[in-house]
Structures are given as C-alpha cells and as structure tokens.
Amino acid sequence: MEHNDLLEKLWTVGVEYIDIGAENIALPKCYGEIALYYTERKLLVMIGETPDITITEMAAAIQKTPSFCSQIIKKFVNYGWVEQIRNAANKRVYNLRLTEEGSKAYAVYAGYNEAEKSAIIAALKQFSTEELESYIKIQEAVNKVCHRILKWYK
C-alpha cells in the first residue's frame, strides 16, 4: 500500500475505533438493578482507587465542574455506596470513601474495566515489541492532535 493510502486507512480504522468506543461509553453497565454510565463508573472507580479524594480533585481529574461531580456523588450517597467525611483541615471540604456496599459495586465496575483491558491486551499479543512501540508512537501523535482539536471546540 502507498504511504497516502496507509494514512487514509489509519484514519478509517481510527474513526471506527472512536465510534466503537463512543458506543461502549454510552452503554450503561449494571450492578444489580443500578445502571451507571461511563462518567459515573469512572467516578466510582476513582473513589475506590483514591480513598479520601474530594469532589474538587475528581472534577479536575475528569475536566468537569465540581457541581457536575457533586450530583453523581449524591446518587452514590443515596445508594449507600459512598460516605462523605468532613475534612479535618478544611471543614468546607468532604473526603469521599466507599462503604462496604460501595466496595462491592466498585469491584464489579473495576471488573468490567479489567475484562475490557484484558480482551484488548490478548488481541495485541500477536504483535512484536517493535510493532507495539510503533503503534504507541502513532497513537501518541494522534492523541496530541486530538487534544488540540478539542481546544477548538471549548
């Protein structure tokens, strides 16, 4: 294949990957009768991996407003998954921790993430170290451009 044809093919498969990813992100994943969407799952996993994280820290990490994150945390508190502990140094701030039930939900959602990661890694094992290193360089270059493009729309 010619260089320009390869670039076009890379664009096509990249767009397909984005479309598949967007569909996966849009699908709710369930814990019992409770379905969570991507950002909700992401916040639950953040609390599970970073006990005592604050809403402000979570908002900064996912580039959303504290108000946006606060609404999700209220749901988690209502589910009995998260407890808010007043910060000893700053009484206006609450640290977030999973409850026992929240830890069970976290394990389920972290399991979804691990299963998806494992499936992708298994599919990529067929490639040599050099091929993977080349792919990483290509993906990093694409990601850099995508970050710039996102700034156009913000």
Side-chain angles (χ1 to χ4, degrees):
M1 225 185 244
E2 302 256 345
H3 188 76
N4 285 340
D5 293 334
L6 286 170
L7 291 172
E8 286 293 327
K9 179 70 174 173
L10 185 58
W11 171 259
T12 301
V13 298
V15 168
E16 179 183 11
Y17 176 75
I18 290 168
D19 289 343
I20 293 167
E23 184 175 350
N24 185 32
I25 286 170
L27 292 172
K29 295 193 170 87
C30 295
Y31 172 71
E33 295 181 14
I34 299 172
L36 296 185
Y37 289 91
Y38 178 76
T39 302
E40 295 168 322
R41 295 189 306 266
K42 193 169 184 173
L43 293 182
L44 182 67
V45 169
M46 285 176 78
I47 298 167
E49 292 176 351
T50 315
D52 292 329
I53 193 168
T54 66
I55 288 175
T56 302
E57 292 167 336
M58 290 174 31
I62 66 167
Q63 298 180 347
K64 301 285 184 188
T65 66
S67 177
F68 174 87
C69 293
S70 181
Q71 296 303 310
I72 295 170
I73 298 308
K74 283 180 188 173
K75 285 173 55 173
F76 292 167
V77 170
N78 289 337
Y79 295 155
W81 291 359
V82 170
E83 60 181 337
Q84 297 175 300
I85 300 149
R86 194 174 297 275
N87 185 293
N90 184 345
K91 299 294 184 197
R92 294 177 294 153
V93 173
Y94 288 92
N95 297 97
L96 305 173
R97 290 187 195 151
L98 295 177
T99 63
E100 185 176 332
E101 191 62 28
S103 293
K104 292 175 188 174
Y106 161 74
V108 169
Y109 290 111
Y112 287 138
N113 292 346
E114 193 56 40
E116 292 169 6
K117 176 182 172 183
S118 294
I120 290 171
I121 287 174
L124 295 175
K125 286 192 184 241
Q126 65 180 305
F127 297 101
S128 70
T129 300
E130 294 78 20
E131 289 171 315
L132 292 171
E133 287 171 344
S134 292
Y135 177 78
I136 290 167
K137 286 172 77 173
I138 291 166
Q139 190 62 57
E140 287 172 343
V142 169
N143 291 354
K144 189 175 181 179
V145 172
C146 288
H147 282 294
R148 284 199 317 260
I149 290 170
L150 280 175
K151 288 180 183 176
W152 297 349
Y153 302 104
K154 288 186 176 182

